[in-house]
Amino acid sequence: MLQPIDIPDNLNAKTTEVDRKPSKQCGMVCSTVQLLRKRGTDGSLLSLMAAECRIYLAPNPAEGPGPHRMCLIMTPQDNACENTTLKTEFHLQAFTSYADIWLLIFIIIILMYLVAAFGNIIIILLVCLVQQLHTPMYFFLCNLAAQDILQVSSILPRLLVITMTGDTSISFLGCITQMFMFAMCACTDFLLLTSMAYDRYVAICVPLHYSLIMNKRACAVLATTSWCIGILNSLMQSLLVTTLTFKSSQQINHYFCELKTLIERSSSDTTGISTFISVDCVFLGFLPFLLITASYVCIISTILKIQTSTGRVKAFSRCSSHLTIVIIFCGTAVSLYIKPGSQHSEEEDKLLSLLYVAVVPMLNPLVYSLRNKDVLKALNKISNNMF
């Protein structure tokens, strides 16, 4: 069916020039629909665009060189152009290719989730209940534990459902929510680790002024700033993703809606969001990493100046737990986003991302409890009072 539609005189000239040629690209089709929707076209046109279609723009011979008219040739049986929409559904493939060992995968994932969730809950309870742990380092550790709980709870339960039932579908809103939570937690995590590195720097390099510099107000400002930047940054990323267009059914070879994977699946122009992510990585990734590195250069330099070996071991033990988590977190993040692509890169991405999505939150309470005498004493104290 041929349906001629007049193009408004105020139609963007650049868009008109692009659409002058026949197009089979779904992204161009959807961008035209959005443009016409903004110009106030009635709902009947939008319903026409719900079918598979091709767009042609040609001069209107009755009116000379311009204006133009757009002809929609509806071809329901033609697969040249797949349906494109902003409200879509995704299918997370997760680890469904390993269906033969689904039970083993389910057990491993649920164990990681339980250890991460309950381990970090115990850390929060200990810091809140034990007076001796009311120090800046444990205040930041409490925030880190809360962030870890949010991260694993936003991703792993859905992965457990996919593994058990095989239902891989997730709504567009659910996907955006999951991406928002993960981006917020990852950004906040890195900033909290940077704050903890600064705390260790002051404790070891400027010990006489520690209580003056790391007072309650300074700790509250650092923690609040970390959370606010993480929330605002992830909100901006989520809003940018909602402006992209996707095919009505998307297969995502991942176990959660990760920003990098969603951008690769979009049929829109992703130059803007890619530029934003690049700038984002510099200011919220590279700069915090430099600050952490500079802090530990100063810490190690100060420790080496200590005369006795006992003093050096004691000083290093005060920051070894934090350094261990930083190495694991930064190592997995760098290896995931900087490694070159390969034939099996998507499978490698899933395994590497599982390290900082589940393994790092699981290791945080273990590292800080097993390698920290204060936490072990507090745990023994609470256990003795309860039993």
Side-chain angles (χ1 to χ4, degrees), residues 17-35:
E17 190 65 27
V18 173
D19 291 343
R20 191 184 297 275
K21 298 178 180 179
S23 172
K24 295 182 181 179
Q25 298 180 4
C26 293
M28 190 176 297
V29 171
C30 194
S31 65
T32 304
V33 175
Q34 292 173 35
L35 177 61

Side-chain angles (χ1 to χ4, degrees), residues 120 141 144 148 189 325 359-369:
N120 283 288
L141 178 60
L144 192 67
D148 286 337
D189 194 349
I325 296 301
V359 176
V360 172
M362 181 182 68
L363 290 179
N364 278 345
L366 295 178
V367 169
Y368 278 101
S369 61

